Amino acid sequence: GGTVHCSPTVCPPVTCPQPERRPGSCCPTCPSCLHHNQVVPDGEEVPNSLDPCQVCVCTGGELVCTPRKCVAPLCAHPLPGSCCQNNCNGCSYAGKEYPNGADFPHPADSCRQCHCINGHVQCLSRRCPPLLCPEPTLRPQECCPQCPAPPAGCLYLGVTYKHLERFYDPSEKCRTCVCANGTITCQHQPCAPVLCSHPLQQGCCRSCDGCLYQGKELPNGGQFADPQDPCRLCSCWEGGVVCKTKACPAAKCPFPVPGPCCQSCEGT
């Protein structure tokens, strides 16, 4: 004489305004979204395949895309990247872009020299070299007095450079050189530290504006199959790689069979 007690299934709350109840299911669920033949469950986030600078979220069966959040730059004058202006491997100053370590004249004051270092710009009055002549002269539109006979220039790899002239080393593009009274001094271009796990090599410095993953260069927002697991999808963003298991569509049959990654209805 046992007694069986039955009670209805308690369904979790849903957040969408129009939930749907699928055949064979007791509880209503929020509808999923379809993005370029990829099923996106409700509330899940995927990159926008048409715009790598956007991310899309499935909400109540509708895919809503918004611009990605950019990491605030750690410098005052960052270079623009493919989506965000936070690249400190150089400077953007007064409408012009300069590589890291570059010296350039002040755009409004020819007697000031500016220097770009890790996204910061420092402008100082030009330093005038010490003069050994008794009567130096200041020429019109120049900032420093000069002796009648100028200091010696430099000959480097068949090219002549003026005194105090800066130039990139023709034999090594990542070195800058300066001619000082017949003597050339060269040093490697400085690079800002990178804060990402898979940075790209861009020119002389590494950058988080894309990813280098298992020897392959990937653009910001790019997607690719996980080489170690075909059922996972990886994406690149700001120098980081994140891999997630691919979302599977619900099988529309009572007895689905397992497939390589998702269940399917056999014979359909």
Side-chain angles (χ1 to χ4, degrees):
T3 302
V4 176
H5 295 280
C6 298
S7 60
T9 301
V10 178
C11 295
V14 293
T15 58
C16 54
Q18 295 181 343
E20 60 183 18
R21 179 176 294 173
R22 296 176 180 173
S25 175
C26 300
C27 297
T29 58
C30 291
S32 59
C33 304
L34 191 64
H35 182 58
H36 291 277
N37 297 324
Q38 177 186 353
V39 176
V40 182
D42 184 75
E44 192 153 310
E45 182 180 284
V46 293
N48 188 346
S49 57
L50 299 178
D51 186 351
C53 298
Q54 288 189 341
V55 67
C56 304
V57 179
C58 180
T59 305
E62 180 181 358
L63 206 63
V64 179
C65 298
T66 55
R68 291 178 181 264
K69 293 181 179 179
C70 293
V71 178
L74 301 178
C75 54
H77 300 279
L79 290 172
S82 57
C83 294
C84 305
Q85 186 161 356
N86 54 10
N87 183 2
C88 292
N89 272 320
C91 303
S92 177
Y93 189 74
K96 292 185 179 181
E97 296 180 5
Y98 301 95
N100 215 7
D103 290 308
F104 56 95
H106 191 278
D109 185 355
S110 61
C111 290
R112 296 175 66 192
Q113 185 79 357
C114 300
H115 182 67
C116 168
I117 183 69
N118 298 341
H120 296 280
V121 174
Q122 184 182 36
C123 296
L124 301 173
S125 297
R126 291 178 183 266
R127 290 187 178 181
C128 296
L131 302 177
L132 301 178
C133 56
E135 297 180 357
T137 58
L138 183 62
R139 298 176 183 177
Q141 298 181 347
E142 290 193 0
C143 303
C144 296
Q146 294 184 2
C147 290
C154 305
L155 182 64
Y156 185 67
L157 296 179
V159 181
T160 301
Y161 299 94
K162 296 178 182 179
H163 175 62
L164 296 183
E165 184 177 356
R166 291 181 178 270
F167 58 95
Y168 287 103
D169 190 341
S171 63
E172 173 56 74
K173 66 177 182 178
C174 294
R175 294 204 313 168
T176 57
C177 305
V178 61
C179 168
N181 200 19
T183 301
I184 290 179
T185 304
C186 300
Q187 63 179 6
H188 280 275
Q189 179 178 322
C191 293
V194 292
L195 303 178
C196 54
S197 58
H198 298 82
L200 282 176
Q201 186 71 31
Q202 290 187 340
C204 301
C205 299
R206 297 189 300 168
S207 167
C208 295
D209 190 27
C211 304
L212 181 64
Y213 188 73
Q214 295 192 356
K216 293 184 179 181
E217 293 187 356
L218 303 163
N220 237 351
Q223 288 186 301
F224 59 98
D226 190 338
Q228 299 178 350
D229 186 355
C231 295
R232 285 162 54 90
L233 191 65
C234 303
S235 61
C236 162
W237 178 246
E238 291 293 291
V241 174
V242 178
C243 297
K244 296 181 179 180
T245 303
K246 293 181 180 179
C248 294
K252 298 181 178 180
C253 56
F255 304 101
V257 296
C261 298
C262 302
Q263 290 184 333
S264 63
C265 296
E266 191 173 15
T268 59

